[in-house]
Amino acid sequence: MSKKEDILKAATLLFATNGFKETSMTEVATMTNAASATIFYHFKSKEALFLSVLNSVKDGIIEEFSHYFDEKKFSTGLEMLEGTVSFYLYLAGNKAEWFLLLHRYYPYELAKKNNTCRQSLEDIYNCFVDIFEKALVQGQADGSIGKLSQRKTALLILSTVDGMVRFKNCNLYDAGALYNELIAVIRRIAAT
Amino acid sequence: MSKKEDILKAATLLFATNGFKETSMTEVATMTNAASATIFYHFKSKEALFLSVLNSVKDGIIEEFSHYFDEKKFSTGLEMLEGTVSFYLYLAGNKAEWFLLLHRYYPYELAKKNNTCRQSLEDIYNCFVDIFEKALVQGQADGSIGKLSQRKTALLILSTVDGMVRFKNCNLYDAGALYNELIAVIRRIAAT
DNA sequence: AATATAACTGATTAATCAGTCAGTATAGTT
DNA sequence: AACTATACTGACTGATTAATCAGTTATATT
């Protein structure tokens, strides 16, 4: 792995676990056994480093979901919906840094004044909502899911699942302990 | 209003809109027409100021919900559930600073090492979950809500509503535009 | 009016941090 | 070997920041 990739990885972890302002370029440098000037050689500013981090997280998320749906095939829309929820929770555990980063406020603040940031965030959330929506559309077509507003319900399901992950990341409640009830709620929402 | 209250109010707004690290004591001082040393006279440190802010937010939230349920009476648990959801959304708009503060990561980070902080957050979230739970219990008793795990479903409903508010605060999606679908989803979850 | 307590402030300090720059090491090409 | 481009670094700077403290002003109390 190149030094630049090293820096990106370390920065992802530090921005996710400590926050943007709370992470110093010196910390990133120390973690990668580099001089702090090296970071500025590869990334023109701290903000630019953050944008690269967010972009790589975006790529990672899209790739992970893409792989999952390449391998897995579902016979009904409801099955796909439940599978997506499960995979979302799995990913939130397996790639905790990504979701920690997305559950901080900084990215959304930066998005207000930076279009690259805005675009990365939109790509990420569209990826999520699109998949939930697709499951709902398929489910309505095959009769496994009842009549409801597809896009908006997709958003609400994302809101529920993501809210649970946030609760877990904030040490408020354990997402795992709620898994069965979450699936039960999803089935009630999808009920015909 | 006393200067100390002035400072608390200004700090609430600044911590909520800009974050803890991103807010300087000088800013708080400027906003309240005081010298920065005055802030340190009333609050022994920046962290102590934050703890006071969080505690006052806790008091505010508990008082607001207490008032609402004093005035409003519900004939069924389902009505109470819908009323609570509506009031939560109303409050998130009317006291946006409170929810912005709670949607930042800093409070939960501080809670890891500070028990006062932990306690305030627990009080706030217990207040939310308790009310949703009470509505579910009542609804099951009066037959307006189906059989489900009360505490865990209460948590999931909070997760959905709070997730929506967070999406709005992050400028991702508009909570208002989802109101009708949210109520529809709540009814599906509560269905007998 | 005298005294005491609380509220407030200007000036300062020590530390931290993003970013710069002049220069060195490394690797690839001819 | 000479040349070039890329990768990397140590030393520095200017700005910002939380916190301190000695001292001043305002408010009550006697």
Side-chain angles (χ1 to χ4, degrees):
Chain A
M1 185 162 31
S2 76
K3 183 126 266 184
K4 193 172 177 179
E5 280 170 319
D6 262 351
I7 293 167
L8 208 62
K9 217 170 185 175
T12 305
L13 206 63
L14 287 169
F15 285 150
T17 54
N18 299 330
F20 179 78
K21 199 77 187 283
E22 294 81 358
T23 299
S24 75
M25 298 301 258
T26 312
E27 276 179 274
V28 180
T30 308
M31 203 179 230
T32 49
N33 294 312
S36 70
T38 306
I39 318 291
F40 286 96
Y41 169 74
H42 288 292
F43 304 90
K44 79 170 199 291
S45 69
K46 193 182 181 184
E47 192 175 298
L49 174 58
F50 184 86
L51 291 173
S52 290
V53 164
L54 190 65
N55 194 62
S56 78
V57 167
K58 180 206 76 185
D59 289 342
I61 286 173
I62 289 171
E63 201 194 314
E64 285 281 350
F65 272 96
S66 164
H67 273 170
Y68 177 70
F69 288 103
D70 274 355
E71 285 170 13
K72 204 109 182 185
K73 293 295 162 202
F74 304 100
S75 48
T76 67
L78 182 58
E79 252 181 51
M80 180 180 171
L81 186 62
E82 290 179 18
T84 307
V85 168
S86 296
F87 186 67
Y88 192 99
L89 292 176
Y90 157 78
L91 209 61
N94 200 247
K95 303 280 183 186
E97 331 85 76
W98 295 354
F99 291 81
L100 270 167
L101 196 79
L102 293 173
H103 285 152
R104 289 193 169 270
Y105 199 72
Y106 182 76
Y108 310 96
E109 212 142 48
L110 184 58
K112 287 176 196 168
K113 55 160 192 156
N114 185 298
N115 269 326
T116 312
C117 183
R118 172 96 218 150
Q119 195 57 55
S120 290
L121 289 174
E122 264 179 31
D123 289 349
I124 290 169
Y125 283 93
N126 279 335
C127 168
F128 294 154
V129 182
D130 285 351
I131 293 170
F132 283 122
E133 190 183 15
K134 201 180 283 179
L136 290 174
V137 170
Q138 191 183 312
Q140 280 184 23
D142 65 32
S144 62
I145 292 177
K147 194 170 173 296
L148 35 69
S149 163
Q150 293 151 351
R151 189 73 182 171
K152 290 180 177 179
T153 307
L155 258 162
L156 283 167
I157 290 172
L158 172 62
S159 176
T160 309
V161 181
D162 190 64
M164 256 182 64
V165 171
R166 188 177 154 265
F167 281 170
K168 185 190 159 209
N169 281 345
C170 291
N171 297 308
L172 287 169
Y173 302 104
D174 181 27
L178 289 172
Y179 180 76
N180 290 332
E181 275 73 21
L182 176 63
I183 295 296
V185 159
I186 296 288
R187 284 187 189 151
R188 278 168 170 268
I189 293 173
T192 49
Chain B
M1 186 161 31
S2 76
K3 182 126 264 180
K4 193 172 177 179
E5 281 170 319
D6 263 351
I7 294 168
L8 208 62
K9 216 169 185 177
T12 305
L13 206 65
L14 287 169
F15 285 151
T17 53
N18 300 330
F20 179 78
K21 200 76 187 286
E22 292 82 358
T23 299
S24 76
M25 296 302 256
T26 312
E27 276 179 274
V28 180
T30 307
M31 202 179 232
T32 50
N33 294 311
S36 71
T38 306
I39 319 291
F40 286 96
Y41 169 74
H42 287 292
F43 303 92
K44 76 169 201 292
S45 68
K46 193 184 181 184
E47 191 177 298
L49 173 59
F50 184 85
L51 291 173
S52 289
V53 163
L54 190 64
N55 194 64
S56 76
V57 168
K58 180 206 77 188
D59 289 343
I61 287 173
I62 290 172
E63 202 193 312
E64 285 281 352
F65 272 97
S66 166
H67 273 169
Y68 177 70
F69 286 103
D70 275 355
E71 285 170 13
K72 204 107 183 187
K73 293 295 163 201
F74 304 99
S75 47
T76 66
L78 182 58
E79 253 181 50
M80 180 180 172
L81 185 62
E82 291 180 18
T84 307
V85 168
S86 295
F87 187 67
Y88 193 98
L89 293 176
Y90 157 76
L91 209 60
N94 200 245
K95 303 281 182 183
E97 330 87 73
W98 296 353
F99 290 81
L100 270 167
L101 196 79
L102 292 172
H103 285 153
R104 289 191 167 270
Y105 198 72
Y106 181 76
Y108 310 96
E109 212 142 48
L110 184 59
K112 287 177 195 163
K113 57 160 192 153
N114 184 297
N115 269 325
T116 311
C117 183
R118 172 96 217 148
Q119 194 58 53
S120 290
L121 289 174
E122 266 180 30
D123 289 348
I124 290 168
Y125 282 93
N126 279 335
C127 169
F128 293 153
V129 182
D130 286 352
I131 292 170
F132 283 122
E133 191 183 15
K134 201 179 283 178
L136 291 174
V137 170
Q138 191 184 312
Q140 281 183 24
D142 65 32
S144 61
I145 293 176
K147 195 168 174 295
L148 36 71
S149 164
Q150 293 151 351
R151 189 75 184 170
K152 291 180 176 178
T153 308
L155 259 161
L156 283 166
I157 291 173
L158 173 61
S159 177
T160 309
V161 182
D162 190 65
M164 254 183 66
V165 172
R166 188 178 153 267
F167 280 171
K168 186 191 158 208
N169 282 344
C170 292
N171 298 310
L172 288 169
Y173 303 103
D174 180 27
L178 289 171
Y179 180 77
N180 289 333
E181 275 72 20
L182 175 63
I183 294 295
V185 160
I186 296 288
R187 283 187 189 151
R188 278 167 169 268
I189 293 173
T192 50

